[in-house]
Amino acid sequence: MLGRNHGGVDQHGTNASHIDLQFSPSSGSGEQAVVGSRYLMAAVIADPVDLLTQRTTGAPPESRPLKPVEALLKALHEPPSGAGGRDDRDDDEPGQLRFRSVWISDIHLGTPGCQAEALLDFLRCVESEHLFLVGDIIDGWQLRRSWYWPQAHNDVVQKLLRKARKGAQVVFIPGNHDEFARKYLSHNFGGIEVANEWIHVTADGRKLWITHGDLFDGVIQCAKWLAYLGDSAYEFTLKLNRYLNSLRARLGLPYWSLSKYLKLKVKRAVSYVSDFEGAVAREARNRGVQGVVCGHIHHAELRDIDGILYANDGDWVESLTALVEHADGRLEILDWTAHAAQAALARKTASVRAVSAA
């Protein structure tokens, strides 16, 4: 049955500390599948009171218009694109790159700026024992403003769930854009653990504190309205960036991030990044660990700050980067930009051949 509960009691007195997500058509009748899938995603991003009302009244989904939350929930119950096609086929093939641990963050599913196709390519090629989702995976801020959820974003979620089903430890640490998930800390959804923070021990014995990092952003903590305003300006920059790179692609030029360029050139932005990194490193020292892994500022980095290893895994909107741990405990920033360019070229070539063949 879909949406099965195990152990624990949440704030509503409902057993919900572990919810199995099974998308097999044989798991129940069509009605059971709809109800189960509605509960599944509501448990992740809906308001708890709304969720409780839905479950106690048992109101069928057809009785009222779908909210964005329910639309997303319905999307997650649908099979990946090409039902039994691209995603399912690739899932049976081992990844070309194997690591002990992988950290990714700031994917911003639900926004046009999310580089979902590049991330899917990354997830197909990379295997790991541990996969950490370090916040801002789903962009709740943007989804509240306008609904955007293409099939590729759904495929990313399905791929992450498969990673967990196949035995990888997948840990989701919510950020400020998906802060709704902080209501469900210590819960387990489809094998994905939800935690506020995490301590990871590397193969060579170092303790790394994992946090999204928004708690060290003064704008987020002290003037959230300004953060929302900045988010809108950032979305505009990303839109301009898409048009710019579309033109560059026609000219045969590689991908180039306008927002990343501005971030590195504007003096205040450089100062902000430096202050953020220093604050996170100081807190790691206070916690008695050897290093910290975070996201939030969309700036991949791996360096020593006063004896503390500071690692930022970057993002999947601009830089297309991940942090990886090798079998011996060595850490490295993996830049997927080149792979993404090759994949885009391959798709374009395949499309041209298909048109020519027709």
Side-chain angles (χ1 to χ4, degrees), residues 94-98 124-127 336 339:
Q96 303 164 7
L97 301 172
R98 297 194 66 86
R124 292 185 195 108
C125 294
V126 173
E127 298 290 343
W336 206 251
H339 294 266

Side-chain angles (χ1 to χ4, degrees), residues 83-230:
R86 182 184 65 183
D87 248 31
D88 290 337
R89 184 172 62 250
D90 290 346
D91 210 47
D92 295 330
E93 300 174 2
Q96 303 164 7
L97 301 172
R98 297 194 66 86
F99 301 101
R100 184 171 183 265
S101 307
V102 171
W103 292 261
I104 56 176
S105 74
D106 299 273
I107 299 171
H108 292 275
L109 293 169
T111 70
C114 170
Q115 304 270 3
E117 290 291 350
L119 179 58
L120 281 169
D121 181 53
F122 172 84
L123 293 172
R124 292 185 195 108
C125 294
V126 173
E127 298 290 343
S128 64
E129 298 173 33
H130 313 281
L131 174 59
F132 296 100
L133 310 174
V134 195
D136 287 0
I137 306 305
I138 297 174
D139 197 320
W141 292 9
Q142 178 68 20
L143 288 174
R144 279 196 292 267
R145 288 198 293 265
S146 62
W147 183 248
Y148 180 83
W149 194 265
Q151 182 61 48
H153 293 205
N154 189 54
D155 291 346
V156 168
V157 176
Q158 295 281 356
K159 180 64 74 175
L160 294 172
L161 289 168
R162 284 199 198 94
K163 294 279 188 186
R165 284 205 304 270
K166 290 198 164 202
Q169 179 192 34
V170 183
V171 178
F172 170 36
I173 298 170
N176 51 300
H177 283 261
D178 45 23
E179 58 192 348
F180 46 73
R182 286 174 173 157
K183 298 171 183 174
Y184 304 98
L185 300 178
S186 302
H187 285 56
N188 183 308
F189 296 96
I192 298 179
E193 301 174 65
V194 184
N196 192 46
E197 56 186 19
W198 201 266
I199 298 294
H200 172 72
V201 181
T202 62
D204 55 6
R206 290 176 293 172
K207 288 184 179 181
L208 303 179
W209 170 48
I210 307 172
T211 179
H212 177 64
D214 58 301
L215 297 179
F216 299 88
D217 184 338
V219 173
I220 295 292
Q221 297 305 312
C222 303
K224 202 165 188 177
W225 66 270
L226 188 57
Y228 283 121
L229 182 63

Side-chain angles (χ1 to χ4, degrees), residues 22-34:
Q22 298 176 9
F23 295 94
S24 169
S26 63
S27 60
S29 67
E31 183 180 355
Q32 286 176 320
V34 170

Side-chain angles (χ1 to χ4, degrees), residues 300-344:
E301 187 67 84
L302 183 61
R303 66 188 180 96
D304 181 274
I305 300 180
D306 297 329
I308 294 294
L309 176 65
Y310 169 84
N312 192 305
D313 57 25
D315 66 277
W316 288 84
V317 175
E318 305 169 59
S319 54
L320 311 187
T321 53
L323 177 70
V324 298
E325 177 195 0
H326 293 270
D328 59 359
R330 178 170 50 90
L331 300 181
E332 177 189 358
I333 295 291
L334 196 62
D335 187 338
W336 206 251
T337 307
H339 294 266
Q342 291 173 3

